[in-house]
Amino acid sequence: MKAVRLHEYHKRPSVDELPEPKVTGPLDVLVRIGAAGLCRTDLHIYEGQWEPLTHPELPFTLGHENAGWVEDIGSAVSNVAVGDTVILHPHITCGLCRYCRAGDDMHCVASIFPGVDGTDGGMADYLLTGARSVVKLDPSLQPAEVAALADAGLTAYHAVKKAVPLLYPGTTALVIGAGGLGHIGVQSLKAMTAATIIVVDRNQAALELVSGYGADHTVLADGSEAGKVQELTDGQGAEVVLNFVGEQGAETLGWSLTRRAGSHYIIGYGGTIDVPTIDVISTERNVVGNLVGTYNDLAELMALTAQGKIELHTRTYPLDAVNDAMDDLDAGRLRGRGILVP
Amino acid sequence: MKAVRLHEYHKRPSVDELPEPKVTGPLDVLVRIGAAGLCRTDLHIYEGQWEPLTHPELPFTLGHENAGWVEDIGSAVSNVAVGDTVILHPHITCGLCRYCRAGDDMHCVASIFPGVDGTDGGMADYLLTGARSVVKLDPSLQPAEVAALADAGLTAYHAVKKAVPLLYPGTTALVIGAGGLGHIGVQSLKAMTAATIIVVDRNQAALELVSGYGADHTVLADGSEAGKVQELTDGQGAEVVLNFVGEQGAETLGWSLTRRAGSHYIIGYGGTIDVPTIDVISTERNVVGNLVGTYNDLAELMALTAQGKIELHTRTYPLDAVNDAMDDLDAGRLRGRGILVP
Amino acid sequence: MKAVRLHEYHKRPSVDELPEPKVTGPLDVLVRIGAAGLCRTDLHIYEGQWEPLTHPELPFTLGHENAGWVEDIGSAVSNVAVGDTVILHPHITCGLCRYCRAGDDMHCVASIFPGVDGTDGGMADYLLTGARSVVKLDPSLQPAEVAALADAGLTAYHAVKKAVPLLYPGTTALVIGAGGLGHIGVQSLKAMTAATIIVVDRNQAALELVSGYGADHTVLADGSEAGKVQELTDGQGAEVVLNFVGEQGAETLGWSLTRRAGSHYIIGYGGTIDVPTIDVISTERNVVGNLVGTYNDLAELMALTAQGKIELHTRTYPLDAVNDAMDDLDAGRLRGRGILVP
Amino acid sequence: MKAVRLHEYHKRPSVDELPEPKVTGPLDVLVRIGAAGLCRTDLHIYEGQWEPLTHPELPFTLGHENAGWVEDIGSAVSNVAVGDTVILHPHITCGLCRYCRAGDDMHCVASIFPGVDGTDGGMADYLLTGARSVVKLDPSLQPAEVAALADAGLTAYHAVKKAVPLLYPGTTALVIGAGGLGHIGVQSLKAMTAATIIVVDRNQAALELVSGYGADHTVLADGSEAGKVQELTDGQGAEVVLNFVGEQGAETLGWSLTRRAGSHYIIGYGGTIDVPTIDVISTERNVVGNLVGTYNDLAELMALTAQGKIELHTRTYPLDAVNDAMDDLDAGRLRGRGILVP
């Protein structure tokens, strides 16, 4: 089979011929890949940025946002059958640690991260994974439509779901960043809450996109955004701020627009939270970390998608054109998410 | 090895010689049994009451409250090692369904119930189980001390834990039934809440036992119990009623002593809830079902036990004396829980 | 001023001339009534059914679903100003008891229920109430559009809001009863969750109405409804059942269609919950009581209404025509809610 | 009557003769003061540090931690009666805003802070307050024993209560700071959770005190504390860190000892939270603000105190000796909390 293999950092991956993987263990699932998302993380891996984090052994197959059809299963697999359409949770988790037993997959003490940590990923004809990573899809969904939700979409959904209990009617959710994660966040908010949604972004086109997805107000980040959001919230700020940027000043903006007794959800990263403790306590505000999402979160996001409540802008490339796709992504020519189709 | 086998309903089980089970699958765990609890359910199985529920194929080995030491493990087992002391969750769950993925083990769509559903249980020298059922114990704990907590204790703990958020200081928890489950319930309440604990039981000795475990008030169920509890609660009843009896009038008593906006937790069974809907809505009270507990619940109960906060009254029998133990249990001669030790 | 006064049970109320009430206490609020809802409860009061419950002294002014404009306020009133459009929470609560201090207005130990308990209600030109009962409205809302939400709508919203945390994407909410409360319940569900909504009712026209409000499936209660709902839920039932009927078999139907680990919310009444405790515990299901709603619930419902997410079918009568309205209601000639306008 | 009046910043208050206040409004409550706590905040007020925050008009009576007996009540007061022993919530809240209606007293948009904001406080023979600020006490409690819990104790309790749901058996709560708030925090944790409690402080005597109150481990902050806590938590840190210091490095220490998926509760202040967003998201940790507490929190803390679960070290001074008490506090000669008794 074909597979996109990274042989060396700073050298574009090659499409190699590899033997097809086989089911051997009782919980193995072999997936015929229908689509694999290409993500900025893939560029970071190519640049070696993940080397100190996961020490992957080269070469390996890229691709951590995967969807396809079940080709074969091990003897103990009961959640999917051959022929099912599936999307893959980005992690293969142990199912045995306290975190797994509580459903908090992202904190599994022994998880595997295919396509990132040196385990072969999904930019290939086939991917061997485990039963705990496959989510069965409504047959109406196509792998190419959903693959890019496996990681980026899941992360946005997870943060929104944690915020839902705070977003009763009459409250405001401020979304900072209307990009790949943010526009899924806006759609998730619309589907699950009646909160007023304000979106701030530097890019007018991105704001127009989310207006169509249910944002009640959009604010261009041109230096006047703090004042405009204050005006929209009677000078109080928002009960929930979902910060999909987390750097370049957004981390400060988000806190300053978090209402008394409110919560600032950090999803994007790069910057630094820098807040006096007197400011934390005198207003009783919170800073909330967010990391990927659970297996059930992914199943729920797929339920929303099957209901037509989540849409994703994509551009499809054949697997052989992976380097065209990487070049386009690198050069900023890629609108929406790039999808590789074997 | 020796094993207590049920060959025929209404005929006492025999202690047979069987081959030792072996680890074959990657998630298999072989446990050398240190102790197996004998429970009223075992009498019910012997009487054939479970036949219509689980259709067990006879003969099989009894024993669904098991603890011991890990003898061997499969290649994928990461939560326990050979030599660890362990207690076994009563169910072996699939780890793949929505419920398992949320941590709600008791609702697994494909769980196995060794010692009950025809799968061999733990009244034997060895038991072959799965990694998802074994909870590693603090080395200070002995199998014979804890085995009977695996099912009965877990059920009591699970219900109490669900009620904890309602039991802020100043509230009252009414415990109906101070028997095998109830006395674990009282100790769990004491360990996790500052609620005032009132216990009602027909048996004065049982009440004296729970007084030593932290009950603030005990009330003998001699016909005057409703009035006495009302007196202790300013005529309002208790915010939480934990009903470990659920029959013979206790189901009615519990509801009548549930305070406005309060909750009636059903744990024992046999009777019928019979409440006008006007009564449910005009006081906004709830009836809450409770079923066994999760894997993490069992781990938490074991943490309490290791801290010395949970004690269990037991009487130990050698495995060969299983029928003496069953006779004693049947005849009401068994104080505390019967424990079989191979 | 004019006021609809009940002088005698089983005798239609008369429209009398009364002196206007005046603000005297610091927390008094005088409301010029814009609209008062007429509700089946008013018929029950007229029939004397509330006499044993609240012992009202006759005569008094009817009307417990009130909205209007603030005419005058006491010196300590800070939440509304003269001229504000307001809706009135049905209860005037003490603000001092544990329940009030927790926001649970419906459990206030000393609440007043104008229009029901003998305190003058809002079928009049003016109503004197307290600051704790008035919710300031968005100026876009008209009293006649919202008055009937003050009690019936609030009750439906309150139950739905309690159920929201259980209704993640992929779950099903079963609504039994598509009448006055049910159709607000459906709209509230649509606004706050992505759950699949199934509605059961005996009346085809009512089902058609809620189809337009977001019901995903409607099922006519013609004897085949249980089977049809099971078919729509893979034989599992619904995670949440909202029972707006609570009598005439609906109370049994609702429980039978409540999924394992699910909850049956009782809102309507008249029948009896009759469930074996074994059934409660073996499936870990709950019965949840629901009573009116909090002050903040009403504010939230008004936020939804201002967003255009809640609509109410009404028919307006002048205050003088109160007995025509009561006749129409009694005779089943009233489609939608009757609204009296001074 | 006598009252401790601040006439000028940086000048010790004087004990003046003033007319007794009188009940005039329907919700007024006149309290004969039994005890008023002296707190470091009183020194800050004397030094003028609160001038820019609350602009108090001088002179006014100090004292914001008050307890006593009800001397007279207004016509609408239903929660206390003449003669009742009471403690006073530090704020008099409006009871009308969204926050008050949700029970979140500390976020009231119009609250009064007697003894701090220029409103007369409780270092006097009598204090006029409102019904919403008085909590009725168990008659077994004496004002001098509990007054200092009104603010400092309440703040510690509130933070602990918020953390209780995270502190299931087997978890660890790390308390940083064993002083006035911290030692109430430890006792609250002990009363409401089964968590393992580790306390870090620079003062060995303070650590010894909290050992007697239920701390499982104490660690002297001598530079080796981080390592010792890591050792006690298997290198994972604590699920909950309660930071009663919040400055001088404790703010950094607390975060570094917060476990993956855990929460860092900020109660003390002075320092700055300075955390990279990548660190927040990659471990999904939270920073939680905490501010005083609710009226119901204070009632709950008093329930714990009546049960004998909360003790406070105090030293009593007559009201006339207020400046001796302030001198002792200023000079570090005051062990435990200073209490002024009229």
Side-chain angles (χ1 to χ4, degrees):
Chain A
M1 70 168 187
K2 285 183 186 170
V4 175
R5 306 281 286 178
L6 182 73
H7 289 266
E8 204 176 315
Y9 294 123
H10 301 288
K11 203 184 128 193
R12 286 290 191 227
S14 55
V15 180
D16 301 354
E17 195 64 29
L18 284 187
E20 271 176 35
K22 302 273 176 232
V23 164
T24 56
L27 288 168
D28 283 356
V29 175
L30 182 66
V31 176
R32 179 161 60 87
I33 292 295
L38 175 70
C39 157
R40 201 156 287 275
T41 297
D42 295 305
L43 291 181
H44 296 161
I45 295 168
Y46 152 84
E47 290 161 0
Q49 291 183 24
W50 280 74
E51 209 289 325
L53 301 173
T54 59
H55 313 295
E57 195 175 331
L58 303 186
F60 71 100
T61 306
L62 294 175
H64 60 279
E65 297 189 332
N66 308 309
W69 301 273
V70 174
E71 183 77 13
D72 194 12
I73 60 174
S75 59
V77 175
S78 55
N79 56 333
V80 293
V82 171
D84 283 347
T85 313
V86 289
I87 191 167
L88 278 63
H89 189 278
H91 299 158
I92 306 178
T93 55
C94 74
L96 300 174
C97 66
R98 162 90 204 183
Y99 294 114
C100 278
R101 295 310 289 260
D104 293 331
D105 300 272
M106 54 281 179
H107 297 294
C108 172
V109 301
S111 72
I112 295 168
F113 197 173
V116 176
D117 69 2
T119 309
D120 285 339
M123 294 184 186
D125 288 320
Y126 294 94
L127 175 63
L128 185 65
T129 185
R132 283 181 55 86
S133 122
V134 288
V135 174
K136 184 175 171 177
L137 293 181
D138 187 285
S140 69
L141 294 172
Q142 292 304 315
E145 293 165 1
V146 299
L149 293 171
D151 191 8
L154 175 57
T155 302
Y157 176 83
H158 176 64
V160 168
K161 192 185 177 195
K162 285 167 62 177
V164 164
L166 305 177
L167 290 169
Y168 52 82
T171 57
T172 298
L174 172 63
V175 172
I176 300 182
L181 276 75
H183 85 292
I184 303 299
V186 168
Q187 294 177 78
S188 300
L189 282 167
K190 203 70 193 173
M192 294 194 286
T193 79
T196 298
I197 304 171
I198 304 175
V199 186
V200 171
D201 199 287
R202 292 181 179 176
N203 184 320
Q204 188 59 45
L207 291 176
E208 276 156 28
L209 182 69
V210 296
S211 284
Y213 286 149
D216 297 289
H217 305 281
T218 59
V219 177
L220 190 67
D222 59 3
S224 69
E225 65 272 21
K228 283 177 182 160
V229 173
Q230 289 292 14
E231 205 173 303
L232 288 166
T233 58
D234 295 324
Q236 305 291 309
E239 282 83 355
V240 166
V241 176
L242 292 155
N243 201 324
F244 291 102
V245 178
E247 60 175 341
Q248 299 179 4
E251 66 279 32
T252 305
L253 179 73
W255 180 253
S256 74
L257 294 174
T258 304
R259 191 187 180 101
R260 188 174 183 80
S263 291
H264 184 202
Y265 287 73
I266 309 298
I267 307 130
Y269 58 92
T272 294
I273 300 290
D274 186 349
V275 185
T277 47
I278 179 68
D279 203 14
V280 173
I281 68 115
S282 64
T283 56
E284 204 169 25
R285 284 180 290 172
N286 311 302
V287 177
V288 179
N290 296 281
L291 178 59
V292 202
T294 71
Y295 177 91
N296 282 345
D297 285 338
L298 184 55
E300 294 168 22
L301 177 60
M302 290 299 108
L304 286 185
T305 306
Q307 290 169 0
K309 291 174 183 158
I310 302 284
E311 276 181 35
L312 193 61
H313 276 221
T314 57
R315 179 168 159 197
T316 299
Y317 296 81
L319 195 64
D320 286 329
V322 58
N323 287 322
D324 297 341
M326 289 186 92
D327 291 347
D328 288 349
L329 178 62
D330 218 359
R333 285 189 300 264
L334 191 45
R335 292 270 163 262
R337 297 297 308 271
I339 303 294
L340 299 173
V341 174
Chain B
M1 67 168 190
K2 287 183 184 169
V4 174
R5 307 281 286 178
L6 182 72
H7 289 266
E8 204 175 313
Y9 293 123
H10 301 289
K11 202 184 129 196
R12 286 291 193 226
S14 57
V15 180
D16 301 353
E17 195 64 27
L18 284 188
E20 272 176 34
K22 300 274 175 234
V23 164
T24 57
L27 289 168
D28 283 357
V29 175
L30 182 66
V31 176
R32 179 160 62 85
I33 292 296
L38 174 71
C39 157
R40 199 154 290 274
T41 296
D42 294 305
L43 291 181
H44 296 162
I45 294 168
Y46 152 84
E47 290 160 0
Q49 291 183 24
W50 280 75
E51 208 289 323
L53 301 173
T54 60
H55 312 294
E57 197 176 330
L58 303 185
F60 71 100
T61 307
L62 295 174
H64 59 279
E65 296 188 332
N66 308 307
W69 301 272
V70 175
E71 181 79 11
D72 194 12
I73 60 175
S75 59
V77 175
S78 55
N79 57 333
V80 294
V82 171
D84 283 347
T85 312
V86 289
I87 191 167
L88 277 63
H89 189 279
H91 300 158
I92 306 179
T93 55
C94 74
L96 300 174
C97 67
R98 163 91 204 182
Y99 295 114
C100 278
R101 295 310 288 260
D104 292 333
D105 300 273
M106 53 281 181
H107 297 295
C108 174
V109 301
S111 72
I112 295 168
F113 197 173
V116 177
D117 69 3
T119 309
D120 285 339
M123 293 185 185
D125 288 321
Y126 293 93
L127 175 62
L128 185 64
T129 185
R132 284 181 55 84
S133 123
V134 288
V135 174
K136 184 176 170 177
L137 294 180
D138 187 286
S140 69
L141 295 172
Q142 292 303 313
E145 292 165 3
V146 299
L149 294 171
D151 191 8
L154 175 57
T155 302
Y157 176 82
H158 175 65
V160 168
K161 193 186 177 195
K162 285 168 62 176
V164 164
L166 305 177
L167 291 170
Y168 52 83
T171 56
T172 298
L174 173 63
V175 171
I176 301 181
L181 275 75
H183 85 293
I184 303 298
V186 168
Q187 294 177 78
S188 299
L189 282 167
K190 203 69 192 173
M192 294 194 284
T193 79
T196 298
I197 304 170
I198 303 175
V199 186
V200 171
D201 199 286
R202 292 181 179 175
N203 183 319
Q204 187 61 45
L207 291 175
E208 276 155 27
L209 181 69
V210 296
S211 284
Y213 287 149
D216 297 289
H217 306 279
T218 58
V219 177
L220 190 66
D222 59 3
S224 69
E225 64 272 22
K228 283 178 181 159
V229 173
Q230 289 293 12
E231 204 173 304
L232 288 166
T233 58
D234 294 323
Q236 305 290 309
E239 282 83 355
V240 166
V241 176
L242 292 156
N243 201 325
F244 290 102
V245 178
E247 61 175 340
Q248 298 178 5
E251 66 280 32
T252 305
L253 179 74
W255 180 253
S256 74
L257 294 173
T258 304
R259 190 188 181 99
R260 187 175 184 80
S263 291
H264 185 202
Y265 287 72
I266 309 299
I267 306 130
Y269 58 93
T272 293
I273 300 291
D274 185 349
V275 185
T277 47
I278 180 67
D279 203 14
V280 173
I281 68 117
S282 65
T283 55
E284 205 170 23
R285 284 180 290 172
N286 311 301
V287 177
V288 180
N290 296 282
L291 177 59
V292 202
T294 71
Y295 178 92
N296 283 344
D297 285 340
L298 184 55
E300 294 168 22
L301 177 61
M302 290 299 110
L304 286 185
T305 306
Q307 290 169 0
K309 292 173 183 159
I310 302 284
E311 276 181 35
L312 193 63
H313 276 221
T314 58
R315 178 168 162 198
T316 300
Y317 297 82
L319 196 64
D320 286 328
V322 58
N323 288 322
D324 297 339
M326 288 186 93
D327 291 346
D328 288 348
L329 178 62
D330 218 359
R333 285 190 300 265
L334 190 44
R335 294 269 164 261
R337 297 296 310 271
I339 303 293
L340 298 173
V341 174
Chain C
M1 69 169 190
K2 286 182 185 171
V4 174
R5 306 280 287 178
L6 182 72
H7 289 266
E8 206 175 313
Y9 294 123
H10 301 290
K11 203 185 127 195
R12 285 291 191 228
S14 55
V15 180
D16 301 354
E17 194 64 27
L18 283 188
E20 271 175 34
K22 301 273 175 232
V23 163
T24 56
L27 288 168
D28 282 357
V29 175
L30 182 66
V31 175
R32 180 160 61 88
I33 293 296
L38 174 71
C39 158
R40 201 157 287 276
T41 297
D42 295 304
L43 292 180
H44 297 161
I45 295 169
Y46 152 85
E47 291 160 359
Q49 291 184 23
W50 281 75
E51 209 289 323
L53 300 174
T54 59
H55 313 293
E57 196 175 332
L58 302 185
F60 71 99
T61 306
L62 295 175
H64 60 280
E65 296 189 331
N66 307 309
W69 301 274
V70 175
E71 182 79 11
D72 194 12
I73 61 174
S75 59
V77 175
S78 56
N79 56 334
V80 293
V82 171
D84 283 349
T85 313
V86 291
I87 191 167
L88 277 64
H89 189 279
H91 300 158
I92 307 178
T93 54
C94 74
L96 300 175
C97 68
R98 163 90 204 182
Y99 294 113
C100 278
R101 295 309 289 261
D104 293 333
D105 300 273
M106 54 280 180
H107 298 295
C108 173
V109 301
S111 72
I112 295 167
F113 196 173
V116 177
D117 69 2
T119 309
D120 285 339
M123 293 185 185
D125 288 320
Y126 292 95
L127 175 62
L128 185 64
T129 185
R132 284 180 55 86
S133 125
V134 288
V135 174
K136 184 176 171 177
L137 294 180
D138 188 286
S140 69
L141 294 173
Q142 292 303 315
E145 292 165 2
V146 299
L149 294 170
D151 191 9
L154 175 58
T155 302
Y157 176 83
H158 175 65
V160 168
K161 192 185 176 194
K162 285 167 62 176
V164 164
L166 305 176
L167 290 170
Y168 52 81
T171 57
T172 298
L174 172 63
V175 171
I176 301 183
L181 274 75
H183 84 292
I184 304 298
V186 169
Q187 295 177 76
S188 299
L189 282 166
K190 204 69 190 174
M192 293 194 287
T193 78
T196 298
I197 304 170
I198 305 175
V199 186
V200 171
D201 198 287
R202 292 180 178 175
N203 182 320
Q204 188 60 44
L207 291 175
E208 277 156 28
L209 182 70
V210 296
S211 285
Y213 287 149
D216 296 289
H217 306 280
T218 58
V219 177
L220 191 66
D222 59 3
S224 69
E225 65 272 21
K228 284 178 181 159
V229 173
Q230 289 292 13
E231 205 172 303
L232 288 166
T233 58
D234 295 323
Q236 305 290 309
E239 281 85 354
V240 166
V241 176
L242 292 155
N243 201 325
F244 291 101
V245 178
E247 60 175 341
Q248 298 179 5
E251 67 279 32
T252 306
L253 179 74
W255 180 254
S256 74
L257 295 173
T258 304
R259 192 188 179 99
R260 189 176 182 79
S263 292
H264 184 203
Y265 286 72
I266 309 298
I267 307 129
Y269 58 93
T272 293
I273 300 290
D274 186 349
V275 185
T277 48
I278 178 68
D279 203 12
V280 173
I281 68 115
S282 65
T283 55
E284 203 170 25
R285 284 181 289 172
N286 311 303
V287 177
V288 180
N290 296 280
L291 178 59
V292 203
T294 72
Y295 177 93
N296 283 344
D297 285 340
L298 184 55
E300 294 168 21
L301 177 60
M302 290 300 109
L304 286 184
T305 306
Q307 291 169 0
K309 291 172 183 160
I310 302 285
E311 275 181 35
L312 193 61
H313 276 219
T314 58
R315 178 168 161 197
T316 300
Y317 296 81
L319 195 64
D320 285 327
V322 57
N323 287 322
D324 296 341
M326 288 186 92
D327 290 347
D328 288 350
L329 179 61
D330 218 0
R333 286 190 300 265
L334 190 45
R335 292 270 163 262
R337 297 296 309 271
I339 304 292
L340 298 174
V341 174
Chain D
M1 69 169 188
K2 285 183 186 170
V4 175
R5 307 280 287 178
L6 182 72
H7 288 267
E8 204 176 314
Y9 293 123
H10 301 289
K11 203 184 128 194
R12 285 291 192 227
S14 56
V15 180
D16 302 352
E17 194 64 27
L18 283 189
E20 271 177 33
K22 302 271 174 234
V23 164
T24 57
L27 288 168
D28 283 356
V29 175
L30 182 66
V31 176
R32 180 160 60 88
I33 293 295
L38 174 71
C39 156
R40 201 156 288 276
T41 297
D42 294 305
L43 291 181
H44 297 161
I45 294 169
Y46 152 85
E47 290 159 0
Q49 291 183 24
W50 280 74
E51 209 289 324
L53 300 174
T54 59
H55 313 295
E57 196 175 331
L58 303 186
F60 71 99
T61 307
L62 294 175
H64 60 280
E65 297 189 332
N66 308 308
W69 301 273
V70 175
E71 182 78 11
D72 194 12
I73 59 174
S75 59
V77 175
S78 55
N79 56 332
V80 293
V82 171
D84 283 349
T85 312
V86 290
I87 191 168
L88 277 64
H89 189 278
H91 299 158
I92 306 177
T93 55
C94 75
L96 301 174
C97 67
R98 164 91 204 181
Y99 294 114
C100 278
R101 296 309 290 260
D104 292 332
D105 300 273
M106 53 281 180
H107 297 295
C108 172
V109 301
S111 71
I112 294 168
F113 196 173
V116 176
D117 69 2
T119 309
D120 285 339
M123 293 185 185
D125 288 320
Y126 293 94
L127 175 62
L128 185 65
T129 185
R132 284 180 56 84
S133 122
V134 288
V135 174
K136 185 176 170 177
L137 295 180
D138 188 285
S140 69
L141 294 174
Q142 292 303 313
E145 291 165 3
V146 299
L149 293 171
D151 191 9
L154 175 57
T155 302
Y157 176 83
H158 176 64
V160 168
K161 192 185 176 195
K162 285 167 61 177
V164 164
L166 306 176
L167 290 170
Y168 51 82
T171 57
T172 298
L174 172 63
V175 172
I176 301 183
L181 275 75
H183 85 291
I184 303 299
V186 168
Q187 294 176 77
S188 299
L189 282 166
K190 204 69 191 174
M192 294 195 286
T193 80
T196 298
I197 303 171
I198 306 175
V199 186
V200 171
D201 198 287
R202 292 182 179 174
N203 183 320
Q204 188 59 44
L207 291 175
E208 276 155 28
L209 181 69
V210 296
S211 284
Y213 287 149
D216 297 289
H217 305 280
T218 58
V219 177
L220 190 66
D222 59 3
S224 69
E225 65 272 21
K228 284 177 181 159
V229 174
Q230 290 293 14
E231 206 172 301
L232 288 165
T233 59
D234 295 324
Q236 304 291 309
E239 282 83 355
V240 166
V241 176
L242 292 155
N243 201 324
F244 290 102
V245 178
E247 60 175 341
Q248 299 180 4
E251 66 279 33
T252 305
L253 179 73
W255 180 253
S256 74
L257 295 174
T258 305
R259 193 187 178 98
R260 188 176 184 80
S263 292
H264 184 202
Y265 287 72
I266 309 299
I267 306 130
Y269 58 93
T272 294
I273 301 290
D274 186 349
V275 185
T277 47
I278 180 67
D279 204 14
V280 174
I281 68 115
S282 64
T283 56
E284 204 169 25
R285 284 180 290 172
N286 310 303
V287 177
V288 179
N290 297 281
L291 178 58
V292 201
T294 72
Y295 177 93
N296 283 344
D297 285 340
L298 184 55
E300 294 167 21
L301 177 60
M302 289 301 108
L304 287 184
T305 306
Q307 290 169 359
K309 291 174 183 159
I310 302 284
E311 275 181 33
L312 192 62
H313 276 221
T314 57
R315 177 167 161 199
T316 299
Y317 297 81
L319 195 65
D320 286 328
V322 57
N323 287 322
D324 297 341
M326 288 186 91
D327 291 347
D328 288 351
L329 178 61
D330 217 0
R333 286 190 300 264
L334 190 45
R335 291 269 163 262
R337 296 298 309 271
I339 303 293
L340 297 174
V341 175

